[in-house]
């Protein structure tokens, strides 16, 4: 493996880690989908505040995930964002509305009323989450685009060309939606586990455990359907001959990737077991409140393994359905060796960043939220 | 207008709308975070409950503003991909790095410690809380630093070379980006303009309290802090602005000429203090430049070169190939018409290289590559057909620059006057007893915002028609999407932004007028 190849792989691992952490942190979005239906004011306040203390982590993770993808694999950023315009714009609008909603929902003079801001949170929680799943699903199931870098020299310079619906077609694809809804119900499941963990209120815990049965079951069914669809899907392999590479369709590509990379299969299985353990034990035992950590680590493992089978083992992580030669792999879409090297030095700060984030998380969540705290504190949403 | 031109214009409009809207909130975050952290530091040292109440009051205003700043920041990052996808590939290798570093170094710091700052009062020790407040402020400035490095690179591209195999530019020197003279001036200029803006905000809001005769002691303390930080901010902003002008004269002479509405320069060039541009004036006619103007003799030569007798080229001079080199000497360079021809040749050579590569003809590839090396410097000019297309909008750049300078100069006087009134006991009654001084202070709030936005307009409109100065015009950077899609998203953003701005201003107004009174009254008990 050359240094350049190593750096490309290293950055794919980092992107995978950021993506996995983002999916874990989507519990905030999942939790937002429960607010409108929560009739009890105090219950809703506790839930909003439990989520509101974490929303910036998710938001920041999305921004950093995007920035890191841009810096390390700019051809993906250029192709996907510029092509699937409507998909990304809808995701974006959801997050813009989220960013103000926590701060404004209860403030005097917010003009539109608390319910409108809670509806914004619901929109972000449901639509943005599903669409993020749709965006990631295209990494497996492909998209309709072609790339011609020489087009930068034409009268209407366009490096990448997407189908006429610019992302709307991706939203209507059942395979993409399957992952979208899987991510939504995972986020809802994780949110319920988070409520159980971070809200010190018996009613909330009982209601969350009850809702966990339905949401957990839907998630498991959707997840199994997605895994079955993925492992039977045709992917694209990158074949290099005489220094030039091209892509060939390979049935069961992702199943082959799991078999070829046993360590990824191991991560996947451990992740699935941890998530299932968290759901089942949290339903059975009312004393068990740490389910979110098991499911969180499990989610991170599963998402990591999915990113690995998308990008490693000479796989096109962004297959083109109309021109296979335009498919993106971690080899043909990355930044230069110089830039990846520079960025890799900067990435050494990540453990330090993670350490202070964990420290701050613990400092804020050292005690579960209670009704008493909500009644007494001025610093709440 | 054809669909492509419409697409480019609306894509620019959408980015301008988002950036201008984002910039309404960012400078207040930059400055107010420092003010809040300073206030909390005083509380930490004195344990004076009144300082605690004051800190919390301004911190809440900070949080209301911070949320909307965060909301609009993400749009800009996404739009580089959604609306400028050619750009994302053509220079993503260079431009992406500071964006990612901003995220890793600054965003996590800001968001993590913001949560501790806002929710941690009863959960962490006072020392840890104070540290978090300072880290939030530092995070905001570090964030500004990296995004401004990225922006400066768009103004003055350095540290890279063109790779014909990948048809993109690749980074060769990271430190050249970080230490670019454009970046250093821009970082200082922008961050400290945030201090000036926040200073006016604190002084103005405090003036409102004086008008309402509320909490005078704490109000005057806040006002003092706002005025000091504001004065430091505006003085450094002006000094770095002077540095910026000198750098611009060398790196973007066309921008400087547009800022001054200067078409034909001369030695000992006057600077226009106030002027009304003649709308019929173009670079290739003999119409007078101004309908009316007041000039300061030799002012522009001094501003640009630090020498009263230096030559400063105008728009027509630059098009004809006259510029100032790195040593400040006037030299003849390649006229724009010739640059366009060289640019077209570079593009043709790149095409030849691509075709030779497809045929496996290494000799032809080498020949094209050699030719490209000699001509690539003017590659971007090949997208144009006549020099008139390469002149920025002179009216917008000129008026924005003059509004910025006039309002900025006023701010220096404003802060000095406020500090005099605060420190001279025989004058303080003008603040506390007289209505006019507080009303002027309150009215200065929109002035500082206009000044700040005008600064951005100068920087960005003055760079046009380039996305990256001299390398890539906006029309080559744009995504391949229907213009109707961009018009729809522009409209969605415009409505959303307006709705959120109205809500934010109303929340601020309500909070300042009611909640603050309760908090401060309670602290007096």
């Amino acid at each position: 493996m050359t240094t350049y190849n190593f750096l490309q792989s290293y950055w794919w691992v980092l992107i995978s880690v950021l993506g996995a952490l983002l999916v874990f942190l989507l519990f905030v979005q999942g939790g937002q989908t429960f607010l409108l239906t929560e009739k009890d004011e105090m219950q809703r306040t506790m839930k909003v505040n439990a989520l509101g203390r974490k929303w910036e982590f998710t938001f920041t993770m999305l921004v950093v995930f995007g920035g890191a993808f841009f810096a390390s694999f700019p051809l993906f950023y250029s192709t996907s964002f510029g092509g699937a315009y409507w998909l990304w714009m809808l995701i974006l609008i959801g997050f813009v509305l989220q960013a103000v909603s926590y701060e404004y929902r209860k403030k005097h003079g917010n003009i539109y009323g608390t319910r409108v801001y809670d509806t914004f949170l619901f929109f972000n929680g449901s639509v943005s989450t599903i669409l993020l799943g749709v965006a990631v699903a295209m990494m497996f199931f492909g998209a309709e685009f072609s790339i011609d870098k020489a087009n930068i020299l034409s009268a209407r310079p366009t490096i990448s060309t997407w189908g006429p619906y610019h992302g709307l077609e991706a939203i209507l694809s059942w395979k993409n939606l399957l992952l979208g809804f899987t991510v939504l119900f995972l986020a809802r499941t994780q949110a319920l586990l988070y409520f159980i963990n971070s809200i010190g209120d018996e009613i909330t815990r009982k209601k969350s455990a009850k809702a966990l049965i339905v949401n957990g079951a839907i998630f498991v069914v959707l997840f199994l359907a997605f895994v079955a669809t993925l492992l039977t899907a045709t992917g694209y392999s990158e074949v290099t001959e005489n220094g030039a590479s091209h892509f060939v369709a390979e049935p069961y590509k992702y199943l082959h990737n799991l078999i070829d990379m046993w360590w990824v299969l191991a991560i996947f299985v451990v992740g699935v077991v941890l998530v299932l353990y968290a759901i089942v034990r949290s339903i059975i035992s009312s004393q068990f409140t740490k389910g979110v950590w098991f499911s969180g680590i499990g989610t991170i493992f599963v998402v990591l393994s999915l990113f690995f089978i998308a990008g490693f083992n000479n796989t096109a992580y962004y297959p083109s359905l109309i021109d296979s030669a335009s498919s993106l792999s971690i080899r043909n879409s990355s930044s230069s060796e110089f830039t990846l090297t520079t960025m890799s030095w900067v990435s050494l700060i990540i453990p330090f960043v993670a350490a202070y984030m964990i420290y701050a998380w613990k400092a804020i969540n050292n005690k579960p939220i209670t009704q008493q705290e909500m009644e007494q504190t001025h610093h709440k949403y | 207008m054809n669909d492509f031109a419409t697409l480019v214009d609306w894509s620019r409009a959408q980015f301008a709308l988002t950036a201008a809207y984002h910039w309404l909130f960012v400078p207040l975050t930059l400055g107010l975070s420092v003010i809040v952290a300073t206030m909390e530091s005083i509380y930490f040292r004195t344990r004076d409950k009144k300082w605690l109440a004051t800190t919390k009051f301004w911190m809440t205003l900070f949080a209301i503003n911070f949320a909307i700043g965060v909301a609009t920041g993400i749009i800009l990052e996404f739009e580089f991909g959604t609306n400028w996808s050619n750009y994302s590939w053509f220079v993503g290798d260079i431009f992406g790095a500071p964006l990612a570093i901003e995220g890793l170094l600054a965003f996590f710091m800001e968001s993590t410690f913001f949560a501790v700052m806002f929710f941690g009062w009863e959960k962490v020790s006072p020392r840890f809380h104070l540290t978090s407040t300072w880290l939030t402020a530092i995070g905001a400035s570090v964030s500004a630093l990296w995004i401004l490095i990225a922006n400066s690179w768009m103004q003055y591209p350095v540290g890279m070379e063109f790779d014909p195999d990948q048809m993109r530019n690749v980074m060769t020197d990271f430190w050249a980006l970080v230490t670019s003279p454009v970046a250093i001036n821009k970082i200082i200029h922008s961050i400290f303009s945030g201090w000036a803006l926040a200073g006016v905000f604190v002084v103005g809001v405090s003036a409102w309290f004086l008008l309402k005769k509320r909490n005078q002691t704490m109000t005057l303390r806040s006002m003092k802090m706002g005025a000091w930080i504001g004065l430091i901010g505006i003085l450094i902003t002006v000094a770095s602005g002077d540095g910026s002008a000198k750098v611009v004269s060398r790196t973007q002479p066309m921008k400087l000429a547009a800022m001054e509405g200067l078409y034909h320069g001369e030695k000992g060039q006057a600077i226009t203090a106030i002027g009304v541009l003649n709308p019929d004036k173009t670079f290739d006619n003999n119409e007078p430049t101004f309908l009316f103007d007041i000039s300061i003799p030799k002012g522009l030569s001094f501003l640009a070169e630090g020498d009263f007798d230096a030559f400063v080229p105008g728009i027509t001079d630059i098009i004809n190939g006259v510029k100032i080199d790195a040593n400040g000497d006037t030299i003849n360079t390649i006229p724009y018409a010739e640059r366009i021809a060289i640019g077209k040749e570079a593009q043709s050579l790149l095409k030849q290289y691509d075709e030779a590569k497809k045929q496996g003809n290494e000799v032809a590839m080498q020949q094209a590559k050699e030719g490209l090396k000699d001509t690539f410097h003017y590659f971007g000019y090949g997208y144009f057909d006549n020099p008139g297309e390469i002149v920025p909008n002179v009216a917008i750049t000129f008026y924005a620059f003059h509004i910025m300078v006039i309002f900025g100069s006023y701010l220096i006087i404003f802060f000095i006057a406020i500090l005099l009134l605060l420190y001279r006991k025989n004058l303080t009654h003008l603040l506390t007893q007289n209505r006019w001084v507080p009303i002027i202070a309150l009215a200065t709030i929109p002035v500082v915002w206009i000044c700040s936005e005008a600064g951005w307009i100068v920087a960005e409109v003055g760079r046009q028609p380039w996305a990256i100065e001299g390398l890539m015009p906006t029309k080559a950077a744009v995504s391949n999407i229907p213009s109707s899609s961009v018009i729809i998203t522009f409209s969605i953003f415009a409505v959303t932004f307006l709705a959120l701005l109205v809500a934010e201003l109303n929340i601020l107004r309500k909070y300042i007028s009611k909640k603050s009174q309760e908090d401060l009254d309670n602290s007096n008990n």
Side-chain angles (χ1 to χ4, degrees):
Chain A
M1 187 185 264
T2 64
T3 307
Y4 191 25
N5 284 355
F6 169 77
L7 288 166
Q8 288 166 327
S9 301
Y10 173 69
W11 272 94
W12 188 254
V13 171
L14 287 187
I15 293 297
S16 306
V17 170
L18 290 170
L21 288 170
L22 175 62
V23 176
F24 162 56
L25 290 168
L26 283 177
F27 73 80
V28 173
Q29 272 62 27
Q32 288 168 196
T33 62
F34 289 108
L35 299 178
L36 281 179
T37 50
E38 178 56 72
K39 293 191 173 62
D40 184 274
E41 180 66 27
M42 178 50 75
Q43 295 280 325
R44 197 182 319 125
T45 301
M46 286 191 289
K47 285 178 181 174
V48 167
N49 280 278
L51 299 170
R53 294 173 187 190
K54 302 294 169 230
W55 79 264
E56 285 218 32
F57 282 112
T58 318
F59 194 95
T60 307
M61 197 61 75
L62 175 66
V63 175
V64 175
F65 177 71
F69 226 141
F70 187 10
S72 50
F73 299 97
L75 194 53
F76 167 80
Y77 204 79
S78 165
T79 306
S80 179
F81 281 64
Y85 186 77
W86 282 109
L87 173 66
W88 289 109
M89 278 292 166
L90 286 168
I91 291 172
L92 184 59
I93 289 164
F95 277 91
V96 171
L97 294 176
Q98 184 214 24
V100 294
S101 293
Y102 282 104
E103 193 63 47
Y104 291 3
R105 64 184 294 278
K106 276 287 184 185
K107 289 274 189 297
H108 292 290
N110 69 15
I111 293 183
Y112 314 110
T114 303
R115 197 155 179 86
V116 168
Y117 292 100
D118 286 352
T119 307
F120 288 165
L121 291 177
F122 178 81
F123 177 81
N124 170 249
S126 53
V127 176
S128 298
T129 306
I130 292 169
L131 296 185
L132 275 173
V134 167
V136 173
M138 285 194 286
M139 291 185 160
F140 301 106
F141 305 127
E144 295 174 5
F145 65 89
S146 61
I147 296 172
D148 181 2
K149 292 169 194 164
N151 241 340
I152 193 77
L153 301 168
S154 70
R156 182 172 176 160
T158 47
I159 289 170
S160 56
T161 306
W162 199 273
Y165 301 108
H166 289 283
L168 292 174
E169 81 291 341
I171 300 172
L172 296 175
S173 153
W174 70 268
K175 286 181 185 176
N176 294 345
L177 279 176
L178 179 58
L179 182 57
F181 277 95
T182 306
V183 174
L184 173 66
F185 278 91
L186 171 65
R188 282 170 63 90
T189 301
Q190 300 251 67
L192 293 167
L193 293 169
Y194 175 69
F195 289 150
I196 291 170
N197 178 261
S198 64
I199 299 177
D201 177 76
E202 267 315 299
I203 299 169
T204 306
R205 283 182 177 166
K206 276 185 184 157
K207 281 166 81 174
S208 298
K210 198 176 160 193
L212 190 58
I213 299 171
V214 179
N215 284 278
I218 295 173
F219 162 67
V220 171
V221 171
L222 288 171
F223 179 71
L224 290 174
F226 169 72
V227 171
T229 310
L230 177 67
L231 296 185
T232 54
T234 297
Y236 287 83
S237 288
E238 187 174 25
V239 180
T240 306
E241 285 170 342
N242 302 325
S245 68
H246 62 278
F247 293 90
V248 291
E250 183 183 328
Y252 305 104
K253 171 66 179 162
Y254 302 105
L255 178 62
H256 293 161
N257 281 358
L258 266 187
I259 295 165
D260 291 348
M261 298 184 288
W262 62 268
W263 52 279
V264 177
L265 180 61
I267 293 171
F268 178 79
V269 170
V270 171
V272 170
V273 169
L274 282 171
V275 174
L276 290 176
Y277 171 77
I279 295 172
V280 173
R281 188 164 170 199
S282 299
I283 292 170
I284 295 170
S285 167
S286 59
Q287 303 303 311
F288 183 65
T289 60
K290 300 205 180 302
V292 68
W293 294 115
F294 288 93
S295 73
I297 293 167
T299 299
I300 291 168
F301 279 15
V302 171
V303 178
L304 269 180
S305 64
L306 291 177
F307 268 95
F308 289 165
I309 63 168
F312 289 146
N313 204 28
N314 302 317
T315 309
Y317 73 83
Y318 215 53
S320 168
L321 299 176
I322 56 172
D323 174 29
S324 64
S326 294
S327 299
L328 304 183
S329 71
I330 62 173
R331 306 288 172 227
N332 72 4
S333 65
S334 80
S335 280
S336 65
E337 185 173 344
F338 182 90
T339 296
L340 291 181
T341 306
T342 307
M343 298 279 302
S344 298
W345 283 110
V346 176
S347 75
L348 296 178
I349 200 171
I350 289 175
F352 175 70
V353 173
Y356 74 62
M357 284 175 75
I358 292 166
Y359 185 75
W361 181 301
K362 280 188 171 174
I364 296 297
N365 272 45
N366 56 0
K367 284 181 196 159
I369 285 177
T370 59
Q371 288 195 26
Q372 195 186 10
E373 185 191 347
M374 288 297 101
E375 283 158 3
Q376 288 172 354
T377 184
H378 291 294
H379 301 285
K380 66 180 177 188
Y381 292 127
Chain B
M1 193 184 280
N2 63 39
D3 186 61
F4 183 57
T6 311
L7 169 68
V8 175
D9 285 350
W10 280 98
S11 300
R12 282 186 56 206
Q14 181 168 302
F15 203 86
L17 173 76
T18 319
Y21 191 71
H22 185 54
W23 192 246
L24 287 174
F25 313 104
V26 171
L28 186 59
T29 297
L30 289 171
L32 198 53
S33 59
V34 173
I35 292 174
V36 168
T38 310
M39 286 174 170
E40 193 180 334
S41 302
I42 296 173
Y43 161 68
F44 184 78
R45 283 188 59 189
T46 62
R47 301 297 161 130
D48 178 346
K49 285 276 166 60
K50 288 178 181 173
W51 273 115
L52 178 63
T54 310
T55 303
K56 286 186 174 179
F57 168 68
W58 293 107
M59 194 177 279
T60 303
L61 297 185
F62 172 80
I64 294 165
N65 175 72
F66 184 75
I68 199 161
V70 168
T72 47
I74 192 174
I75 309 176
L76 289 168
E77 186 200 41
F78 271 50
E79 280 180 348
F80 282 113
T82 54
N83 294 84
W84 307 102
S85 62
N86 286 348
Y87 175 98
S88 295
W89 172 247
F90 197 63
V91 295
D93 192 63
I94 308 139
F95 188 81
L99 247 64
I101 296 171
E102 181 191 15
L104 279 176
L105 295 187
F107 288 162
F108 282 130
M109 191 194 283
E110 257 183 300
S111 59
T112 302
F113 293 105
F114 174 83
V116 178
M117 178 178 95
F118 201 65
F119 296 111
W121 285 107
E122 286 96 30
K123 291 175 185 289
V124 299
S125 70
R127 185 180 295 275
F128 183 33
H129 191 277
L130 176 64
T131 308
S132 299
T133 308
W134 274 110
L135 286 172
T136 305
I138 292 167
S141 288
V142 172
S143 166
L145 182 144
W146 284 102
I147 196 64
L148 291 168
I149 286 172
N151 180 274
S152 302
W153 182 82
M154 294 168 76
Q155 317 282 344
Y156 182 51
V158 287
M160 49 139 205
E161 67 182 18
F162 184 69
D163 178 359
D165 285 315
Q166 303 184 71
M167 298 235 177
R168 65 165 171 175
N169 294 280
V170 292
M171 201 197 297
T172 55
D173 184 355
F174 180 67
W175 290 110
L177 268 73
V178 177
T179 57
S180 146
V182 176
I184 290 165
N185 275 294
K186 191 179 273 286
I187 290 162
I188 296 168
H189 193 63
S190 305
I191 290 176
F192 284 96
S193 77
W195 287 34
L197 183 137
V200 172
F201 179 76
V202 170
V203 171
V205 171
S206 302
W208 187 86
F209 280 95
L210 292 178
L211 281 170
K212 297 287 174 185
K213 308 281 183 207
R214 289 180 192 166
N215 306 299
Q216 207 175 82
T217 313
M218 290 312 297
T219 300
L220 291 176
R221 282 183 180 181
S222 292
M223 206 175 224
K224 256 182 207 172
M225 186 165 294
W228 272 118
I229 289 185
L231 182 63
I232 293 167
I234 193 67
L235 290 175
I236 296 176
T237 304
V238 169
S240 57
D242 179 61
S244 273
K246 288 179 172 56
V247 172
V248 166
S249 76
R250 288 162 171 77
T251 57
Q252 294 174 292
M254 182 62 89
K255 181 193 274 186
L256 184 73
M259 282 156 63
E260 266 304 298
L262 179 67
Y263 285 87
H264 293 280
E266 55 190 33
K267 286 188 172 180
Q269 177 62 50
I271 192 167
T272 307
I274 305 171
V276 178
L277 288 167
N278 177 359
D280 297 327
K281 175 68 183 169
T282 61
F283 78 97
D284 53 358
N285 69 19
N286 291 321
E287 292 276 337
T289 305
F290 292 100
L291 300 175
F292 159 80
D293 70 300
I294 298 172
S295 299
I296 302 166
K298 303 195 176 195
L300 188 58
S301 290
F302 185 74
L303 180 76
E305 298 302 321
D307 173 0
F308 287 108
D309 294 318
F311 174 77
V312 181
I315 292 167
T316 308
D317 303 319
I318 295 163
I319 286 174
N320 291 334
V322 178
K323 67 172 262 189
I324 298 169
D325 71 4
N327 299 322
D329 297 327
T330 309
I331 54 164
N332 288 318
T333 177
I334 300 170
Y336 273 22
E338 216 173 300
R339 292 182 192 198
I340 291 170
I342 298 171
K344 288 190 189 300
E345 191 191 342
Q347 296 193 358
S348 168
L349 285 163
L350 183 56
K351 238 178 230 168
Q352 287 171 31
Y353 180 87
D354 191 46
E355 278 159 18
K357 192 180 164 192
K358 279 175 190 157
Q359 292 159 4
N361 185 343
E362 290 194 9
V363 177
M365 278 170 72
Q366 194 56 34
Q367 275 177 349
K369 201 172 183 176
E370 288 301 318
L372 202 52
K373 264 186 197 163
D374 298 333
T375 55
F376 186 77
H377 190 65
Y378 295 114
F379 180 88
Y381 288 82
Y383 287 102
F384 299 101
D385 292 319
N386 67 70
E389 295 174 60
I390 317 176
V391 179
N393 186 313
V394 177
I396 295 177
T397 315
F398 173 85
Y399 289 120
F401 176 64
H402 284 78
I403 287 170
M404 179 186 77
V405 171
I406 292 166
F407 285 12
S409 306
Y410 159 72
L411 290 176
I412 298 175
I413 299 164
F414 171 78
F415 285 125
I416 290 172
I418 292 289
L419 284 169
L420 266 177
L421 296 180
L422 284 165
Y423 281 93
R424 296 291 292 266
K425 291 212 165 20
N426 56 342
L427 294 176
T428 306
H429 71 278
L430 290 171
L431 270 170
T432 54
Q433 310 296 327
N434 182 307
R435 290 183 65 81
W436 282 107
V437 176
I439 286 171
I440 291 169
L442 202 53
T444 302
I445 292 178
V447 170
V448 75
W449 252 279
I450 293 167
C451 183
S452 181
E453 290 284 342
W456 263 114
I457 291 169
V458 174
E460 301 304 298
V461 176
R463 191 191 61 227
Q464 298 303 321
W466 302 107
I468 308 149
E469 181 79 26
L471 184 64
M472 185 182 221
T474 47
K475 66 178 177 181
V478 77
S479 297
N480 183 19
I481 39 178
S483 58
S484 56
S485 295
V486 184
I487 293 171
I488 294 169
T489 50
F490 174 92
S491 308
I492 293 170
F493 282 133
V495 170
T496 309
F497 289 170
L498 185 64
L500 295 182
L501 183 64
V502 170
E504 197 224 8
L505 292 177
N506 204 44
I507 291 169
L508 287 175
R509 189 180 65 82
K510 287 267 182 189
Y511 183 76
I512 290 165
S513 63
K514 288 186 180 171
K515 185 76 167 56
S516 59
Q517 188 188 6
E518 295 163 14
D519 281 355
L520 295 176
D521 285 349
N522 290 341
S523 76
N524 287 334
N525 297 333

